[in-house]
Amino acid sequence: HVQLVESGGGSVQAGGSLKLSCTASGFRFSSCGMGWYRQTPGKERELVSSSNADGTVNYADAVKGRFTFSQDNAKNTVYLQMNSLKTEDTAMYYCKTDRAVGILRHLCPVGYWGQGTQVTVS
């Protein structure tokens, strides 16, 4: 079955860095473009970064220049390198199978979420 497991969250001071990982299993990872989202209590989940079908990457304006998305299909893992963290980056971070891509696109189970990893910036 499809599983997405996030890790790498934690508590950090403003200006610090964290690297989140999301390891997938149960499906052909390379058939999916992945996304990172975040959510704080009382707010809707918002897109942080995601990969497009052509391999380019989108970033929310709030994280451009500070966060870097990468997807390693050989390791079935997607990463989010977060630098220059701000208190407003505090949130639960989730990965998601965002879109079907490539010639194996029919194998992508679009719309699956991981359980999340908490990032707290003080």
Side-chain angles (χ1 to χ4, degrees), residues 1 10 13-14 16 18 23 33 38-39 57 59-60 63 70 72 74 78 85 87-88 92-94 100 103 116 118:
H1 64 286
Q13 290 191 334
L18 284 173
T23 301
R38 66 186 181 186
Q39 188 172 25
V57 177
Y59 293 97
V63 307
S70 60
D72 187 338
V78 60
L85 282 161
T87 55
E88 51 263 45
M92 184 73 80
Y93 284 72
Y94 301 87
I103 59 173
Q118 177 67 39

Side-chain angles (χ1 to χ4, degrees), residues 2 27-34 51-55 71 73 97-112:
V2 176
F27 64 100
R28 182 67 66 94
F29 187 68
S30 60
S31 68
C32 293
M34 301 297 292
S51 64
N52 297 313
D54 62 0
Q71 182 166 339
N73 290 337
T97 50
D98 234 19
R99 59 178 54 82
V101 299
I103 59 173
L104 296 176
R105 58 190 295 114
H106 60 285
L107 297 177
C108 178
V110 176
Y112 277 79

Side-chain angles (χ1 to χ4, degrees), residues 36-39 43-49 60 62 88 91:
W36 282 102
Y37 292 75
R38 66 186 181 186
Q39 188 172 25
K43 292 189 176 181
E44 295 207 354
R45 200 168 292 188
E46 63 177 7
L47 175 68
V48 176
S49 182
E88 51 263 45

